[in-house]
């Protein structure tokens, strides 16, 4: 049993994937949802459940994370002004209104700046007490946090799967490194991405990688009210990390054929020319299986059957 996060090669691959989708922005900015972010997708505020209601709050341990990564010096903390800026962003995300009844505005700009000088000027104008990240800071922060995300993934698998942490951990560490990386990346945004179906496929003595591939591709991008195409591209890339060498061509064809209508409806919901077709997804699964060391057997669906009822969004 080995950990992917202990492998330099595996971690480098995951960081490359994360930068491809998150970018590496070395100062605080608001992402497309208004979430204050820095580095490789490090969110400074997070969404939590309070009495069954989703609310935003300032992330705990920001300064500690920065110190661990060597970004902050020993004893350095966020200033009162830093926290005030973040709280305004939290209030904006939570729909708080001011004393005049107007919505609180997020003070953190989405502008990134066209060069380092512009980025520095934007950062300074917002009044942060700390400097923008250095060249290697974003990667150092992400590397230092990967074990935390790994533990969050295992905790989620144990909780949803109804097993002990030790059982979920031992099963997780028997997975190929690339499969571990896919699960770790899933929880980078939220551990709630790992639902019952994916958990059942992963947290078991004999993992079902075909089901895991399907769930990551088609079961982890809920419609709120519409699905994000950017997030879907990331889900495609995460599913591609799974080691499919133990899945046969017959299994792939049978599994996807039984869900053909569901997959077609899902993909057409994006209404984008670049969205793949069912046939392209089938070929992608077959290509992935072969690339991972599997072989084609020429099998056709033995029992296509009707499409199952789609899972809730």
């Amino acid at each position: 049993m080995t950990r992917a996060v202990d492998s330099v090669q595996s971690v480098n691959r995951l960081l490359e994937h994360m930068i491809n989708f998150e970018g590496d922005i070395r100062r605080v900015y608001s992402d497309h949802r208004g979430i204050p972010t820095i580095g490789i997708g490090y969110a400074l505020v997070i969404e939590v459940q309070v009495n069954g209601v989703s609310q935003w709050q300032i992330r705990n341990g920001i300064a500690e994370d920065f110190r661990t990564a060597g970004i902050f010096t020993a004893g350095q903390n966020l200033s009162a002004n830093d926290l005030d800026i973040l709280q305004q962003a939290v209030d904006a995300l939570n729909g708080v209104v001011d004393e005049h009844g107007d919505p609180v505005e997020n003070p953190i700009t989405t502008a990134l700046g066209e060069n380092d000088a512009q980025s520095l000027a934007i950062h300074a104008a917002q009044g942060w007490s700390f400097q923008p990240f250095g060249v290697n800071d974003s990667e150092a922060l992400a590397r230092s946090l990967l074990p935390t995300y790994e533990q969050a993934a295992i905790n989620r698998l144990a909780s949803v799967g109804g097993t002990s942490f030790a059982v979920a951990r031992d099963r997780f560490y028997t997975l190929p490194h690339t499969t571990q990386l896919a699960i770790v990346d899933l929880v980078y945004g939220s551990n709630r991405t790992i639902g019952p179906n994916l958990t059942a496929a992963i947290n078991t003595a004999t993992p079902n990688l075909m089901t895991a591939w399907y769930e990551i591709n088609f079961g982890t991008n809920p419609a709120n009210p519409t699905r994000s195409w950017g997030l879907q591209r990331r889900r495609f890339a995460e599913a591609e990390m799974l080691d499919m060498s133990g899945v046969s061509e017959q299994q792939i064809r049978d599994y996807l054929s039984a869900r053909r209508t569901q997959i077609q409806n899902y993909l057409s919901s994006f209404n984008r020319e670049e969205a793949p077709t069912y046939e392209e997804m089938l070929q992608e699964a077959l290509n992935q299986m072969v690339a991972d060391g599997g072989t084609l057997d020429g099998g056709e669906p033995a029992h296509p059957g009707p499409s199952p009822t789609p899972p809730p969004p």
Side-chain angles (χ1 to χ4, degrees):
M1 295 188 295
T2 59
R3 301 173 67 192
V5 296
D6 287 339
S7 164
V8 174
Q9 181 178 3
S10 295
V11 168
N12 286 343
R13 175 178 178 178
L14 179 56
L15 288 176
E16 181 180 352
H17 161 86
M18 291 166 64
I19 292 172
N20 184 42
F21 287 97
E22 297 281 359
D24 179 3
I25 312 301
R26 302 204 298 268
R27 65 159 191 80
V28 182
Y29 68 99
S30 284
D31 73 0
H32 68 286
R33 297 176 63 192
I35 301 171
T37 308
I38 193 170
I40 306 172
Y42 181 89
L44 298 168
V45 307
I46 59 172
E47 193 174 15
V48 297
Q49 293 290 313
V50 179
N51 297 325
V53 178
S54 293
Q55 292 186 1
W56 294 90
Q57 68 179 31
I58 299 174
R59 180 177 188 148
N60 291 324
I62 295 173
E64 181 180 354
D65 288 345
F66 286 9
R67 288 194 295 267
T68 299
I71 299 167
F72 274 10
T73 58
Q76 184 178 357
N77 286 294
L78 297 175
S79 70
N81 188 60
D82 295 335
L83 295 174
D84 183 61
I85 296 172
L86 291 176
Q87 187 58 52
Q88 290 180 61
V90 165
D91 290 345
L93 287 165
N94 286 331
V96 174
V97 297
D98 61 21
E99 64 272 19
H100 304 295
D102 298 320
V104 173
E105 294 187 3
N106 187 342
I108 303 171
T109 179
T110 58
L112 302 180
E114 295 182 2
N115 51 52
D116 287 345
Q118 288 186 8
S119 184
L120 282 169
I122 293 171
H123 185 88
Q126 290 183 159
W128 300 103
S129 69
F130 55 92
Q131 295 296 312
F133 281 4
V135 174
N136 300 316
D137 288 346
S138 298
E139 185 174 312
L141 178 61
R143 285 182 185 277
S144 70
L145 289 172
L146 287 181
T148 300
Y149 289 118
E150 177 206 63
Q151 295 303 295
I154 296 172
N155 270 322
R156 178 68 175 178
L157 289 168
S159 175
V160 176
T163 67
S164 68
F165 177 85
V167 168
R169 177 197 60 208
D170 291 347
R171 289 172 173 174
F172 187 81
Y173 290 159
T174 63
L175 298 171
H177 279 192
T178 53
T179 300
Q180 291 183 37
L181 296 180
I183 303 303
V184 170
D185 194 65
L186 274 173
V187 303
Y188 194 72
S190 169
N191 64 5
R192 286 178 293 166
T193 304
I194 301 178
N197 293 340
L198 182 56
T199 296
I202 294 296
N203 187 11
T204 178
T206 307
N208 186 329
L209 273 300
M210 185 67 247
T211 296
W213 184 92
Y214 176 83
E215 286 299 321
I216 293 176
N217 272 311
F218 306 114
T220 55
N221 184 8
N224 291 317
T226 60
R227 292 184 176 89
S228 163
W229 176 244
L231 180 59
Q232 187 59 44
R233 290 178 55 250
R234 185 166 186 163
R235 295 296 179 252
F236 288 155
E238 288 163 343
E240 194 174 350
M241 292 182 188
L242 298 180
D243 187 328
M244 297 279 282
S245 59
V247 183
S248 72
E249 177 183 0
Q250 185 72 53
Q251 289 172 319
I252 292 173
R253 291 185 179 277
D254 284 350
Y255 194 94
L256 297 187
S257 176
R259 295 157 177 80
R260 181 178 186 129
T261 300
Q262 183 176 332
I263 293 171
Q264 289 174 324
N265 291 339
Y266 182 95
L267 295 172
S268 64
S269 71
F270 292 103
N271 195 28
R272 299 182 71 100
E273 290 185 3
E274 61 266 46
T277 63
Y278 166 83
E279 288 75 16
E280 288 170 334
M281 291 301 300
L282 170 60
Q283 191 60 52
E284 173 62 32
L286 294 172
N287 291 345
Q288 182 175 339
M289 178 267 290
V290 172
D292 289 338
T295 57
L296 296 174
D297 56 29
E300 291 295 334
H303 307 287
S307 295
T309 302

